């Protein structure tokens, strides 16, 4: 295995290896134009309300809600994040009213976990084969 001799980045800046505006010795050379650097995925802020939705068909017994009891048939599940909490809601597909899933309110300190919570909720509640 052969090794190349190290070069002095300040002596020959045109051939010095760099990444995102940094020279080989770790000092900043010029400002880097890196799209998205320092940005969060949700540019409205990490604590802004967010939601995910999916159409589901629950298995026998349906989904228990706080407001109206059991709902069955074709439903839409919405997983909402706001103020450090996740709330699961369901509605009859294309209806206007939403109902809170019984037991479907939990603290979630990091909104980055919203997709995972939604995926688990869909996996648990969507049982079209029974």
């Amino acid at each position: 295995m052969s090794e190349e001799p190290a070069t002095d980045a300040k002596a020959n800046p045109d051939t010095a290896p760099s990444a995102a505006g940094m020279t080989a010795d770790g000092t900043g050379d010029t400002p880097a134009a890196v799209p998205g650097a320092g940005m969060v995925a949700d540019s409205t802020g990490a604590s802004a309300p967010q939601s995910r939705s999916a159409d589901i068909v629950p298995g026998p017994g349906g989904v228990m809600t706080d407001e109206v009891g059991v709902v069955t048939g074709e439903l839409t599940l919405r997983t909402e994040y706001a103020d450090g909490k996740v709330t699961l809601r369901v509605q009859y597909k294309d209806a206007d009213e939403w109902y809170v899933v019984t037991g479907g309110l939990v603290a979630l300190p990091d909104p980055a976990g919203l997709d995972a919570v939604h995926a688990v909720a869909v996996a648990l509640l969507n049982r079209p084969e029974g």
Side-chain angles (χ1 to χ4, degrees):
M1 182 159 128
S2 67
E3 292 184 19
E4 296 287 323
T7 60
D8 183 0
K10 292 180 181 177
N12 191 354
D14 292 332
T15 61
S18 64
M22 299 299 288
T23 60
D25 66 358
T27 60
D29 188 25
T30 59
V34 179
M39 301 296 291
V40 294
D42 178 12
S43 62
T44 60
S47 63
Q50 303 174 45
S51 68
R52 306 290 185 268
S53 295
D55 291 334
I56 64 169
V57 177
V63 176
M64 179 63 78
T65 68
D66 292 347
E67 296 86 355
V68 296
V70 175
V71 292
T72 60
E74 293 183 11
L75 306 173
T76 301
L77 171 69
R78 183 169 68 196
T79 307
E80 303 171 339
Y81 174 84
D83 301 324
K85 296 177 190 166
V86 169
T87 305
L88 299 178
R89 298 180 193 274
V90 291
Q91 72 174 173
Y92 290 104
K93 190 169 162 91
D94 300 322
D96 292 329
E97 300 84 17
W98 288 93
Y99 309 112
V100 175
V101 173
T102 300
L105 178 64
V106 67
L108 183 68
D110 186 354
L114 180 62
D115 288 332
V117 171
H118 181 68
V120 168
V122 169
L124 291 171
L125 296 176
N126 188 37
R127 298 282 183 233
E129 302 298 318

